[in-house]
Amino acid sequence: MNSFVIRNSFGLVRTINTRFFTTSTQNLEGELKTILKQAKVSKLQERLQLDPRSKITFTEFKGIAKDFGIEENEINPVSNALAQSGSIIYLPNSLNENLKTSVFIKPTHIYQSLEHVLDIENKGIGLNKLIESKKSEINNLRQKIQPLEQQKQLIDRKAQRGATAIIWTGLGYCFVQAAVLARLTWWDLSWDIIEPVSYFLTFGSVLIGYTYFTMTKTEFTYEALNHRLFSKRQDKLFRRNNFPKEDYGNLVETIDKKEKELRELELATKYDHTH
């Protein structure tokens, strides 16, 4: 039955429909659940805003949501709702695995970073002024690298002199060996005695040279030998003079990158002028 009868004190009978009360109770429960869910989501948003990080994993997001009473089956709808409202950035369908499992809880930071990287507003200046700005950056970097460049040139000259000295020393050793063997063969002793000695000296020299090139994995050429001797001497001088090798390399790389960007901008300017 969906109704019941109430008799009042005057004897009048009134029939009450219970379906009305059931529907009203269900509506009230639904509204209460909605209010409670909104309160939980609001607290979740406050917690994410207090987090100093810009990005967390989705697993961390789920853990935080559960701490505020959000059920497992409600987490995905809540995350989608927050993403649609702009409170977070969540890309579950991304092809990038890192983006797919990450939740960006500071969307403003991401938008500002993208704006800076893409240079959407072009810094409010024209192409010609952008070229001048790029040239100024390159000049500042060159001024910064100039003392390091001078120090490196001095080190390179010393390293090259050291490598050349070792190569000439090897050549001098060969001449001295030949002169000693000639002296012993024709003046002091005879070829019968010096022959096995010269054989073993020659074989020993070849063996030492072959071992060196094998151990160092260097090509058997003058250029390769000179380059290796130069590099070893250069590294030793870098350490002795406390030369900031990594900083110098970073500056060189940055200047090359800026110069490439400058060439592209200048090419774009020429294109604009010809079209």
Side-chain angles (χ1 to χ4, degrees), residues 215-248:
M215 296 296 292
T216 58
K217 297 180 176 60
T218 306
E219 294 183 9
F220 192 74
T221 61
Y222 171 82
E223 291 79 7
L225 177 61
N226 181 69
H227 177 71
R228 177 169 178 79
L229 293 174
F230 170 80
S231 299
K232 297 291 289 183
R233 180 64 176 168
Q234 185 189 54
D235 289 338
K236 187 179 293 185
L237 290 172
F238 280 161
R239 291 192 297 270
R240 183 182 299 174
N241 293 275
N242 295 321
F243 183 80
K245 186 178 178 180
E246 292 184 3
D247 294 342
Y248 175 80

Short mmCIF file of all heavy atoms in Angstrom, two decimals, residues 215-248:
data_model
loop_
_atom_site.label_atom_id
_atom_site.label_comp_id
_atom_site.label_asym_id
_atom_site.label_seq_id
_atom_site.Cartn_x
_atom_site.Cartn_y
_atom_site.Cartn_z
N MET A 215 96.00 -0.14 -25.94
CA MET A 215 95.46 0.21 -24.63
C MET A 215 94.70 1.53 -24.66
O MET A 215 93.69 1.69 -23.97
CB MET A 215 96.60 0.28 -23.61
CG MET A 215 97.30 -1.07 -23.37
SD MET A 215 96.21 -2.31 -22.63
CE MET A 215 95.96 -1.60 -21.01
N THR A 216 95.17 2.49 -25.43
CA THR A 216 94.52 3.80 -25.48
C THR A 216 93.41 3.87 -26.52
O THR A 216 92.71 4.89 -26.60
CB THR A 216 95.56 4.89 -25.79
OG1 THR A 216 96.20 4.59 -27.04
CG2 THR A 216 96.61 4.96 -24.70
N LYS A 217 93.26 2.79 -27.33
CA LYS A 217 92.23 2.75 -28.38
C LYS A 217 92.36 3.95 -29.33
O LYS A 217 91.37 4.60 -29.69
CB LYS A 217 90.82 2.70 -27.77
CG LYS A 217 90.57 1.44 -26.95
CD LYS A 217 89.18 1.44 -26.37
CE LYS A 217 88.87 0.15 -25.62
NZ LYS A 217 89.78 -0.10 -24.51
N THR A 218 93.59 4.24 -29.69
CA THR A 218 93.89 5.36 -30.57
C THR A 218 94.29 4.85 -31.94
O THR A 218 94.94 3.80 -32.05
CB THR A 218 95.05 6.20 -29.98
OG1 THR A 218 94.72 6.58 -28.65
CG2 THR A 218 95.27 7.46 -30.81
N GLU A 219 93.88 5.56 -32.99
CA GLU A 219 94.29 5.17 -34.33
C GLU A 219 95.80 5.32 -34.49
O GLU A 219 96.42 6.21 -33.91
CB GLU A 219 93.56 6.03 -35.37
CG GLU A 219 92.06 5.80 -35.42
CD GLU A 219 91.41 6.63 -36.51
OE1 GLU A 219 92.16 7.23 -37.31
OE2 GLU A 219 90.17 6.67 -36.55
N PHE A 220 96.35 4.47 -35.33
CA PHE A 220 97.80 4.47 -35.53
C PHE A 220 98.16 5.53 -36.57
O PHE A 220 98.63 5.24 -37.68
CB PHE A 220 98.27 3.08 -35.97
CG PHE A 220 99.75 2.90 -35.91
CD1 PHE A 220 100.40 2.76 -34.70
CD2 PHE A 220 100.51 2.90 -37.07
CE1 PHE A 220 101.78 2.60 -34.65
CE2 PHE A 220 101.89 2.74 -37.03
CZ PHE A 220 102.52 2.59 -35.81
N THR A 221 97.94 6.81 -36.19
CA THR A 221 98.26 7.93 -37.08
C THR A 221 98.91 9.04 -36.25
O THR A 221 98.75 9.10 -35.02
CB THR A 221 97.00 8.48 -37.77
OG1 THR A 221 96.09 8.97 -36.78
CG2 THR A 221 96.30 7.42 -38.60
N TYR A 222 99.60 9.92 -36.97
CA TYR A 222 100.24 11.04 -36.28
C TYR A 222 99.19 11.96 -35.66
O TYR A 222 99.36 12.43 -34.53
CB TYR A 222 101.11 11.83 -37.27
CG TYR A 222 101.64 13.12 -36.69
CD1 TYR A 222 102.77 13.13 -35.88
CD2 TYR A 222 100.99 14.33 -36.96
CE1 TYR A 222 103.25 14.31 -35.34
CE2 TYR A 222 101.46 15.52 -36.42
CZ TYR A 222 102.59 15.50 -35.61
OH TYR A 222 103.05 16.67 -35.07
N GLU A 223 98.11 12.23 -36.40
CA GLU A 223 97.07 13.13 -35.90
C GLU A 223 96.43 12.59 -34.61
O GLU A 223 96.19 13.34 -33.66
CB GLU A 223 95.99 13.36 -36.96
CG GLU A 223 96.44 14.17 -38.16
CD GLU A 223 97.24 13.34 -39.16
OE1 GLU A 223 97.31 12.10 -38.97
OE2 GLU A 223 97.80 13.93 -40.10
N ALA A 224 96.14 11.29 -34.60
CA ALA A 224 95.51 10.69 -33.42
C ALA A 224 96.46 10.73 -32.22
O ALA A 224 96.04 11.03 -31.09
CB ALA A 224 95.11 9.24 -33.73
N LEU A 225 97.74 10.44 -32.45
CA LEU A 225 98.71 10.48 -31.36
C LEU A 225 98.86 11.89 -30.82
O LEU A 225 98.87 12.11 -29.60
CB LEU A 225 100.06 9.96 -31.87
CG LEU A 225 101.22 10.01 -30.86
CD1 LEU A 225 100.91 9.15 -29.64
CD2 LEU A 225 102.52 9.57 -31.52
N ASN A 226 98.96 12.86 -31.73
CA ASN A 226 99.11 14.26 -31.31
C ASN A 226 97.87 14.74 -30.52
O ASN A 226 98.00 15.43 -29.51
CB ASN A 226 99.32 15.14 -32.53
CG ASN A 226 99.51 16.60 -32.16
OD1 ASN A 226 100.52 16.99 -31.57
ND2 ASN A 226 98.53 17.42 -32.51
N HIS A 227 96.69 14.36 -30.99
CA HIS A 227 95.46 14.77 -30.31
C HIS A 227 95.37 14.18 -28.91
O HIS A 227 94.98 14.87 -27.95
CB HIS A 227 94.25 14.33 -31.14
CG HIS A 227 92.93 14.65 -30.49
ND1 HIS A 227 92.45 15.93 -30.36
CD2 HIS A 227 92.01 13.83 -29.88
CE1 HIS A 227 91.28 15.91 -29.73
NE2 HIS A 227 91.00 14.65 -29.43
N ARG A 228 95.75 12.92 -28.76
CA ARG A 228 95.67 12.31 -27.43
C ARG A 228 96.68 12.95 -26.48
O ARG A 228 96.36 13.25 -25.33
CB ARG A 228 95.93 10.81 -27.53
CG ARG A 228 95.94 10.13 -26.16
CD ARG A 228 95.92 8.65 -26.21
NE ARG A 228 95.99 8.09 -24.86
CZ ARG A 228 94.97 8.00 -24.02
NH1 ARG A 228 93.78 8.45 -24.37
NH2 ARG A 228 95.14 7.48 -22.83
N LEU A 229 97.90 13.14 -26.94
CA LEU A 229 98.91 13.75 -26.08
C LEU A 229 98.49 15.18 -25.70
O LEU A 229 98.67 15.60 -24.55
CB LEU A 229 100.26 13.79 -26.80
CG LEU A 229 100.92 12.41 -27.06
CD1 LEU A 229 102.17 12.57 -27.90
CD2 LEU A 229 101.25 11.71 -25.74
N PHE A 230 97.90 15.90 -26.65
CA PHE A 230 97.42 17.26 -26.39
C PHE A 230 96.30 17.23 -25.35
O PHE A 230 96.29 18.05 -24.41
CB PHE A 230 96.94 17.89 -27.69
CG PHE A 230 96.21 19.19 -27.51
CD1 PHE A 230 96.88 20.37 -27.30
CD2 PHE A 230 94.81 19.21 -27.53
CE1 PHE A 230 96.21 21.57 -27.12
CE2 PHE A 230 94.12 20.40 -27.35
CZ PHE A 230 94.82 21.58 -27.15
N SER A 231 95.33 16.32 -25.50
CA SER A 231 94.19 16.25 -24.58
C SER A 231 94.62 15.91 -23.17
O SER A 231 94.13 16.51 -22.19
CB SER A 231 93.17 15.22 -25.09
OG SER A 231 92.67 15.58 -26.36
N LYS A 232 95.56 14.95 -23.04
CA LYS A 232 96.04 14.57 -21.71
C LYS A 232 96.75 15.73 -21.03
O LYS A 232 96.54 16.01 -19.85
CB LYS A 232 96.98 13.36 -21.82
CG LYS A 232 96.32 12.11 -22.36
CD LYS A 232 95.30 11.52 -21.39
CE LYS A 232 95.98 10.89 -20.20
NZ LYS A 232 94.98 10.24 -19.29
N ARG A 233 97.59 16.41 -21.78
CA ARG A 233 98.30 17.55 -21.23
C ARG A 233 97.34 18.69 -20.90
O ARG A 233 97.48 19.37 -19.87
CB ARG A 233 99.34 18.02 -22.26
CG ARG A 233 100.18 19.22 -21.82
CD ARG A 233 101.04 18.91 -20.63
NE ARG A 233 101.89 20.03 -20.28
CZ ARG A 233 102.59 20.13 -19.16
NH1 ARG A 233 102.51 19.16 -18.26
NH2 ARG A 233 103.34 21.18 -18.93
N GLN A 234 96.34 18.90 -21.75
CA GLN A 234 95.35 19.96 -21.52
C GLN A 234 94.56 19.70 -20.23
O GLN A 234 94.35 20.62 -19.42
CB GLN A 234 94.41 20.04 -22.72
CG GLN A 234 93.41 21.19 -22.64
CD GLN A 234 92.37 21.09 -23.74
OE1 GLN A 234 91.70 20.07 -23.90
NE2 GLN A 234 92.23 22.16 -24.51
N ASP A 235 94.10 18.47 -20.03
CA ASP A 235 93.35 18.14 -18.82
C ASP A 235 94.18 18.37 -17.56
O ASP A 235 93.67 18.86 -16.54
CB ASP A 235 92.88 16.69 -18.87
CG ASP A 235 91.78 16.47 -19.90
OD1 ASP A 235 91.11 17.45 -20.26
OD2 ASP A 235 91.60 15.32 -20.34
N LYS A 236 95.44 18.03 -17.65
CA LYS A 236 96.33 18.23 -16.50
C LYS A 236 96.49 19.72 -16.19
O LYS A 236 96.47 20.13 -15.02
CB LYS A 236 97.70 17.59 -16.79
CG LYS A 236 98.64 17.58 -15.59
CD LYS A 236 99.96 16.92 -15.96
CE LYS A 236 99.76 15.44 -16.24
NZ LYS A 236 101.06 14.75 -16.49
N LEU A 237 96.62 20.53 -17.23
CA LEU A 237 96.75 21.98 -17.02
C LEU A 237 95.43 22.60 -16.53
O LEU A 237 95.44 23.56 -15.76
CB LEU A 237 97.18 22.65 -18.33
CG LEU A 237 98.63 22.36 -18.76
CD1 LEU A 237 98.89 22.89 -20.16
CD2 LEU A 237 99.62 22.97 -17.78
N PHE A 238 94.29 22.06 -17.00
CA PHE A 238 92.99 22.53 -16.50
C PHE A 238 92.90 22.36 -14.99
O PHE A 238 92.47 23.26 -14.26
CB PHE A 238 91.86 21.76 -17.18
CG PHE A 238 91.52 22.26 -18.57
CD1 PHE A 238 90.81 21.46 -19.45
CD2 PHE A 238 91.90 23.52 -18.98
CE1 PHE A 238 90.49 21.91 -20.72
CE2 PHE A 238 91.58 23.99 -20.25
CZ PHE A 238 90.88 23.17 -21.12
N ARG A 239 93.29 21.17 -14.51
CA ARG A 239 93.23 20.89 -13.06
C ARG A 239 94.23 21.76 -12.30
O ARG A 239 93.92 22.25 -11.21
CB ARG A 239 93.48 19.41 -12.81
CG ARG A 239 92.37 18.49 -13.31
CD ARG A 239 92.54 17.09 -12.78
NE ARG A 239 93.78 16.48 -13.26
CZ ARG A 239 93.88 15.77 -14.38
NH1 ARG A 239 92.81 15.59 -15.15
NH2 ARG A 239 95.03 15.25 -14.75
N ARG A 240 95.41 21.94 -12.87
CA ARG A 240 96.44 22.71 -12.18
C ARG A 240 96.05 24.18 -12.06
O ARG A 240 96.34 24.83 -11.04
CB ARG A 240 97.76 22.57 -12.93
CG ARG A 240 98.94 23.26 -12.26
CD ARG A 240 100.19 23.10 -13.12
NE ARG A 240 100.54 21.69 -13.28
CZ ARG A 240 101.53 21.27 -14.10
NH1 ARG A 240 102.21 22.16 -14.82
NH2 ARG A 240 101.79 19.98 -14.20
N ASN A 241 95.37 24.71 -13.06
CA ASN A 241 95.00 26.13 -13.06
C ASN A 241 93.56 26.37 -12.60
O ASN A 241 93.07 27.49 -12.69
CB ASN A 241 95.19 26.72 -14.46
CG ASN A 241 96.63 26.77 -14.88
OD1 ASN A 241 97.37 27.72 -14.56
ND2 ASN A 241 97.09 25.76 -15.61
N ASN A 242 92.89 25.30 -12.12
CA ASN A 242 91.49 25.41 -11.65
C ASN A 242 90.59 26.04 -12.71
O ASN A 242 89.76 26.92 -12.42
CB ASN A 242 91.42 26.24 -10.35
CG ASN A 242 92.14 25.56 -9.20
OD1 ASN A 242 92.08 24.35 -9.04
ND2 ASN A 242 92.84 26.35 -8.41
N PHE A 243 90.76 25.60 -13.95
CA PHE A 243 89.96 26.13 -15.04
C PHE A 243 88.56 25.52 -14.99
O PHE A 243 88.41 24.29 -14.95
CB PHE A 243 90.61 25.81 -16.38
CG PHE A 243 89.89 26.37 -17.57
CD1 PHE A 243 90.05 27.70 -17.94
CD2 PHE A 243 89.04 25.58 -18.32
CE1 PHE A 243 89.38 28.22 -19.03
CE2 PHE A 243 88.38 26.09 -19.41
CZ PHE A 243 88.55 27.41 -19.77
N PRO A 244 87.48 26.37 -14.99
CA PRO A 244 86.10 25.84 -14.93
C PRO A 244 85.66 25.26 -16.28
O PRO A 244 84.95 25.90 -17.06
CB PRO A 244 85.27 27.07 -14.54
CG PRO A 244 86.04 28.23 -15.08
CD PRO A 244 87.50 27.84 -14.99
N LYS A 245 86.07 24.04 -16.52
CA LYS A 245 85.84 23.41 -17.81
C LYS A 245 84.34 23.28 -18.13
O LYS A 245 83.90 23.55 -19.25
CB LYS A 245 86.50 22.04 -17.83
CG LYS A 245 86.45 21.33 -19.18
CD LYS A 245 87.19 20.00 -19.11
CE LYS A 245 87.11 19.26 -20.44
NZ LYS A 245 87.83 17.96 -20.38
N GLU A 246 83.55 22.88 -17.13
CA GLU A 246 82.11 22.69 -17.36
C GLU A 246 81.41 24.02 -17.63
O GLU A 246 80.56 24.11 -18.53
CB GLU A 246 81.48 21.98 -16.16
CG GLU A 246 81.93 20.54 -15.99
CD GLU A 246 81.21 19.85 -14.85
OE1 GLU A 246 80.32 20.49 -14.24
OE2 GLU A 246 81.51 18.68 -14.58
N ASP A 247 81.76 25.04 -16.85
CA ASP A 247 81.15 26.36 -17.06
C ASP A 247 81.50 26.90 -18.44
O ASP A 247 80.65 27.49 -19.13
CB ASP A 247 81.63 27.34 -15.99
CG ASP A 247 81.12 26.96 -14.60
OD1 ASP A 247 80.15 26.17 -14.53
OD2 ASP A 247 81.69 27.44 -13.60
N TYR A 248 82.75 26.70 -18.84
CA TYR A 248 83.17 27.16 -20.16
C TYR A 248 82.39 26.43 -21.26
O TYR A 248 81.91 27.05 -22.22
CB TYR A 248 84.67 26.92 -20.33
CG TYR A 248 85.18 27.25 -21.71
CD1 TYR A 248 85.46 28.56 -22.08
CD2 TYR A 248 85.38 26.24 -22.65
CE1 TYR A 248 85.92 28.86 -23.35
CE2 TYR A 248 85.85 26.53 -23.92
CZ TYR A 248 86.12 27.84 -24.26
OH TYR A 248 86.57 28.13 -25.53
#
